[in-house]
Amino acid sequence: MSGSSRGKQPSLSQLRAFVAVAEYLHFRDAAAAIGMSQPALSGAVSALEDVLGVQLLERTTRKVLLSPAGERLAARARTVLDAVGALMEEADAARAPFTGVLRLGVIPTVAPYLLPAVLRLVHRAYPDLDLQVHEEQTSSLVDGLTAGRLDLLLLAVPLGVPGVTELPLFDEDFVLVTPEDHWLGGRQDIPREALRELPLLLLDEGHCLRDQALDICREAGRGDDTPVTTTAAGLSTLVQLVAGGLGVTLLPRTAVEVETGRGGLGTGYFADPAPARRIALAMRTGAARQGDFEELAAALRQALRPLPVRLAP
């Protein structure tokens, strides 16, 4: 194999061909995946090997394997292609605001209650925006944002993550949800101290709502030795367990109407200042689309006015 030619650089088509082969380890499948003929794909990889002066593949009659150098360089090639993709997306955004793809990450305790308003707003005000929604837990969303897999997040804050800017939307109170005949059901002035001894049902580990509820309980003086029964992966299951008499739970105010409509439940409201959470959009600090995201946050605050929340200024 010849040495690398001074001044020659790989083309994007060569890198795409190599990355496809590295992923599929099969020339026919790789060619089909990127819409290239098999001879053209093979030629592109051979040309890349020539430019780099490195053997990338070990070809046998039955299969394709990456050489040790190929293993190392495949990751680099993917990074280059991802960066080029990001460059094209930024250029799209610069040409026309609110067009192209917007990958929005949303936490599960927000998605069912706010997405209808978000989707109505986008459909009405930004019809050329291709909104793609990803529902994940907070840690996964933040990883996706910082890695460039997601563009914008809708979740509870503060996150305290360097390089992430938060655009507050609103604050909402937590509501105590009880079995229908519970002595706290219907109360409007529940002291936080009531949480000290109640049989509390919470979401599974990993949900930020669980952590917020535990913080509220600690502030109310609930000791860590008071057991908390963790039994639910989602709020719908949680309230059904409450209706069945297994305990009480805390719901964000925006979830109450949806989740307590089945009956068998009571709701109680805390005395001021009620425990609350803040919901915001989060973006990478200095994002090229920052102006778009700030405008979207302002439009969302207006769209969320009918909800029982306190809008951020």
Side-chain angles (χ1 to χ4, degrees):
M1 181 160 306
S2 64
S4 177
S5 303
R6 186 180 299 277
K8 287 186 75 175
Q9 292 192 338
S11 70
L12 291 177
S13 62
Q14 291 168 356
L15 293 176
R16 285 193 191 95
F18 171 49
V19 166
V21 173
E23 180 176 349
Y24 290 95
L25 296 177
H26 195 287
F27 277 104
R28 186 179 66 244
D29 293 347
I34 62 174
M36 185 182 275
S37 72
Q38 198 170 326
L41 179 92
S42 181
V45 175
S46 296
L48 180 61
E49 289 179 316
D50 191 49
V51 168
L52 298 177
V54 173
Q55 182 179 344
L56 301 172
L57 305 177
E58 295 177 4
R59 300 166 177 83
T60 70
T61 54
R62 301 189 63 178
K63 57 184 177 181
V64 177
L65 298 174
L66 290 175
S67 69
E71 291 274 8
R72 293 171 55 187
L73 292 174
R76 293 282 190 183
R78 287 189 191 95
T79 301
V80 171
L81 293 178
D82 288 345
V84 171
L87 173 71
M88 299 307 293
E89 286 181 17
E90 298 286 14
D92 288 343
R95 279 198 305 274
F98 293 109
T99 60
V101 175
L102 175 60
R103 298 163 298 183
L104 176 69
V106 192
I107 55 174
T109 59
V110 161
Y113 320 112
L114 298 191
L115 274 182
V118 173
L119 296 175
R120 280 194 301 270
L121 170 66
V122 169
H123 181 72
R124 185 187 76 248
Y126 313 117
D128 295 324
L129 189 65
D130 179 9
L131 183 67
Q132 300 177 0
V133 177
H134 302 261
E135 185 185 64
E136 301 167 23
Q137 292 184 6
T138 298
S139 59
S140 175
L141 291 179
V142 172
D143 289 345
L145 182 69
T146 55
R149 177 174 62 84
L150 299 171
D151 303 308
L152 192 64
L153 308 181
L154 177 59
L155 73 181
V157 297
L159 298 171
V161 178
V164 174
T165 296
E166 298 166 5
L167 305 172
L169 296 176
F170 62 83
D171 296 316
E172 64 174 328
D173 292 341
F174 283 103
V175 175
L176 186 69
V177 179
T178 69
E180 199 167 27
D181 56 354
H182 196 276
W183 64 282
L184 287 174
R187 289 271 299 271
Q188 299 290 324
D189 58 349
I190 300 172
R192 293 193 191 202
E193 291 71 27
L195 293 170
R196 289 178 181 173
E197 304 299 335
L198 291 171
L200 194 63
L201 301 170
L202 295 178
L203 293 175
D204 291 336
E205 296 278 357
H207 288 274
C208 63
L209 186 60
R210 173 193 172 89
D211 299 329
Q212 291 157 355
L214 288 173
D215 287 342
I216 292 165
C217 291
R218 278 191 284 269
E219 290 169 8
R222 187 185 182 106
D224 290 337
D225 55 343
T226 305
V228 171
T229 307
T230 303
T231 40
L235 293 184
S236 296
T237 303
L238 204 58
V239 295
Q240 288 180 50
L241 295 171
V242 173
L246 297 187
V248 301
T249 195
L250 293 170
L251 283 191
R253 188 71 176 80
T254 50
V256 170
E257 183 178 353
V258 173
E259 298 299 348
T260 62
R262 300 178 186 87
L265 295 163
T267 53
Y269 296 85
F270 290 93
D272 288 335
R277 70 173 182 174
R278 171 162 286 192
I279 301 299
L281 293 177
M283 64 180 180
R284 289 184 295 277
T285 302
R289 302 170 79 177
Q290 179 169 339
D292 284 3
F293 296 159
E294 289 172 345
E295 184 180 330
L296 178 62
L300 256 181
R301 289 184 201 108
Q302 297 306 310
L304 298 173
R305 278 191 176 281
L307 296 179
V309 299
R310 295 181 299 281
L311 297 175

